[in-house]
């Protein structure tokens, strides 16, 4: 376990990001900069630390997991988006999904006047152009930036009554998780930031880290038909507790990933909240599936992918072909059964 400190010499933390190139880290009184690049010093140090660990310590470098609570959870989110190839899986608790300094705060001294939007020194992997700071600090924006590539399997929980970091759906967080097709498992209940009012236990929401390895693919579910409704961003709207993909799972041992074929068995599982079965349990659903971190099954652009879905390994319930146009492979409206659905693709 590697615990990393984030304190600067003046006692301020960097919120796991960095600071303006004009910021004096030894001073407690800095002017609010209106120019200058915000350099992601802390994130580059994290990246170099992970690279050093991989080279210097006899651990499985395919199994690197991040976790954190509140602003430390945000740090895990940011690291996972800036260096997705360095991290295997992430679980966070009560994190903000976007940050920006309030007026006349020390964060403005550290980064920039919030009316400005300075460039960071982190380059958009799609364009090679520096990402403006407030976009880099918006994990939803970074989900879209990283939609063409695989990120760690990610999960977390937030509260509708959390007024410290805010109700994350106000920033279209759950909408973005679906649109970007990164999957994961994202829970909410009526907790406050200090976890009072919580329904879900940590055991019911925490990612089972060690099932994940960078040497194995995973299915990213989106638009599952039996997800609860997080609402429109108003805490009173939507279901009081629920999850994206809380009912879905898959069998790691079922995965076949080679040059010409890919197979996986997915299924509907029970969902618990506070040790009690959720009121609604299901025998089947439909969901889109994007296949992330494929190892060997990587078709050429223009190849025809033939796919099928078999119920419990038996009868074919869906099938079709798609012309591979590059990027992640997504199958739409896949039928998933409690007894199991075997999804097969071949070229």
């Amino acid at each position: 376990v590697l615990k990393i400190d984030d304190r600067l010499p003046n006692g301020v933390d960097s919120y796991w990001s960095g600071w303006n190139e004009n910021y004096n880290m030894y001073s407690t009184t800095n002017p609010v900069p209106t120019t200058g690049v915000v350099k992601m010093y802390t994130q580059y140090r994290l990246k170099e630390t992970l690279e050093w660990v991989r080279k210097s310590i006899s651990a499985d470098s395919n199994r690197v997991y991040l976790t954190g609570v509140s602003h430390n959870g945000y740090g895990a989110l940011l690291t996972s988006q800036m260096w997705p190839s360095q991290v295997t899986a992430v679980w966070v608790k009560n994190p903000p999904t976007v940050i920006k300094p309030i007026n006349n705060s020390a964060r403005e001294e550290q980064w920039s006047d919030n009316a400005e939007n300075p460039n960071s020194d982190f380059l958009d992997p799609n364009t090679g152009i520096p990402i403006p700071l407030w976009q880099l600090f918006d994990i939803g924006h970074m989900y879209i930036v990283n939609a063409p590539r695989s990120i760690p399997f990610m999960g977390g929980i937030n509260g509708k009554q959390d007024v410290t970091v805010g109700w994350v759906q106000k920033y279209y967080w759950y909408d973005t998780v679906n649109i970007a097709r990164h999957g994961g498992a994202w829970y909410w209940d009526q907790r406050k930031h200090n976890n009072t009012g919580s329904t879900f236990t940590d055991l019911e929401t925490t990612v089972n880290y060690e099932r994940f390895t960078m040497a194995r693919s995973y299915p990213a579910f989106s638009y599952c038909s039996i997800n609860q409704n997080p609402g429109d961003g108003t805490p009173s709207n939507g279901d009081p507790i629920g999850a994206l993909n809380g009912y879905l799972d898959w069998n790691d041992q079922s995965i076949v990933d080679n040059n010409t074929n890919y197979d996986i068995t997915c299924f509907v599982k029970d969902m618990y909240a506070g040790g009690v079965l959720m009121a609604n349990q299901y025998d089947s659903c439909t969901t889109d599936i994007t296949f992330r971190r494929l190892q060997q099954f990587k078709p050429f652009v223009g190849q025809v992918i033939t796919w099928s879905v078999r119920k419990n390994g038996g009868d074919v319930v869906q099938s079709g072909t798609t012309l591979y146009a590059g990027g992640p492979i997504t199958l739409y409206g896949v039928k998933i059964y409690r007894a199991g659905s075997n999804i097969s693709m071949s070229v």
Side-chain angles (χ1 to χ4, degrees):
V1 176
L2 181 64
K3 288 192 170 186
I4 299 175
D5 198 355
D6 187 27
R7 294 285 167 178
L8 304 183
N10 60 5
V12 177
D13 67 76
S14 73
Y15 222 97
W16 301 105
S17 62
W19 49 94
N20 193 291
E21 60 187 343
N22 297 313
Y23 181 74
N24 181 358
M25 73 171 80
Y26 296 97
S27 173
T28 56
T29 57
N30 278 275
V32 175
T34 56
T35 61
V37 173
V38 175
K39 298 191 174 185
M40 302 298 286
Y41 294 110
T42 302
Q43 280 296 324
Y44 286 111
R45 178 168 59 86
L46 289 171
K47 178 175 180 286
E48 291 180 2
T49 301
L50 290 174
E51 290 173 345
W52 178 86
V53 168
R54 278 187 161 86
K55 294 175 182 177
S56 306
I57 295 178
S58 58
D60 186 346
S61 62
N62 283 320
R63 299 176 182 270
V64 178
Y65 312 114
L66 301 182
T67 187
V69 177
S70 190
H71 96 280
N72 296 310
Y74 176 82
L77 294 178
L78 185 62
T79 302
S80 73
Q81 298 309 299
M82 291 182 65
W83 321 117
S85 64
Q86 295 282 340
V87 181
T88 311
V90 174
W91 183 72
V92 290
K93 187 175 181 179
N94 303 336
T97 57
V98 57
I99 59 170
K100 192 176 182 182
I102 62 174
N103 285 328
N104 303 313
S105 67
R107 296 294 183 193
E108 281 195 315
E109 296 179 13
Q110 187 176 4
W111 296 324
S112 169
D113 188 300
N114 64 16
E116 307 292 333
N117 192 8
N119 275 336
S120 71
D121 66 346
F122 182 73
L123 303 183
D124 186 316
N126 302 312
T127 66
I129 298 172
I131 298 181
L133 191 64
W134 309 144
Q135 280 68 54
L136 180 59
F137 282 178
D138 182 347
I139 304 301
H141 177 84
M142 294 304 296
Y143 255 45
I144 300 299
V145 167
N146 283 320
R149 61 192 54 79
S150 295
I151 64 170
F153 181 89
M154 299 177 68
I157 186 163
N158 284 92
K160 284 196 166 187
Q161 303 305 318
D162 187 339
V163 297
T164 302
V165 304
W167 169 224
V168 293
Q169 182 61 359
K170 178 181 178 181
Y171 306 102
Y172 306 103
W173 172 244
Y174 300 105
D175 295 349
T176 306
V177 171
N178 275 325
I179 290 168
R181 301 187 183 278
H182 287 306
W186 297 94
Y187 296 81
W188 70 86
D189 57 17
Q190 293 292 310
R191 72 183 60 206
K192 297 179 180 180
H193 195 64
N194 64 1
N195 293 309
T196 58
S198 62
T199 303
F200 288 107
T201 67
D202 285 352
L203 188 63
E204 291 163 341
T205 61
T206 304
V207 169
N208 178 12
Y209 304 107
E210 292 189 3
R211 74 178 291 189
F212 293 99
T213 167
M214 292 185 190
R216 185 170 59 233
S217 64
Y218 69 87
F221 304 113
S222 55
Y223 299 103
C224 177
S225 62
I226 55 176
N227 283 342
Q228 291 86 4
N229 176 21
D232 62 5
T234 304
S236 59
N237 185 263
D239 291 320
I241 67 172
L244 295 193
N245 308 323
Y247 287 109
L248 293 174
D249 206 343
W250 66 94
N251 185 335
D252 291 323
Q253 286 67 45
S254 72
I255 296 174
V256 175
D257 186 346
N258 58 42
N259 291 333
T260 58
N261 296 84
Y262 185 87
D263 287 81
I264 188 171
T265 297
C266 301
F267 57 91
V268 175
K269 67 175 183 177
D270 291 335
M271 184 175 170
Y272 290 84
V276 178
L277 273 173
M278 295 286 287
N280 294 321
Q281 299 293 322
Y282 300 91
D283 289 323
S284 65
C285 70
T286 60
T287 184
D288 297 351
I289 304 179
T290 302
F291 300 91
R292 296 292 187 176
R293 283 190 169 153
L294 292 171
Q295 303 294 306
Q296 301 297 328
F297 188 74
K298 298 179 180 181
F300 299 111
V301 171
Q303 277 190 303
V304 174
I305 300 173
T306 301
W307 62 271
S308 65
V309 179
R310 294 177 180 271
K311 182 179 180 181
N312 198 23
D315 296 336
V316 174
V317 294
Q318 291 173 294
S319 63
T321 60
T322 183
L323 191 66
Y324 183 61
I329 300 170
T330 300
L331 300 181
Y332 301 90
V334 177
K335 294 180 180 179
I336 306 296
Y337 296 92
R338 179 174 287 271
S341 292
N342 177 253
I343 300 112
S344 299
M345 298 186 291
S346 64
V347 293

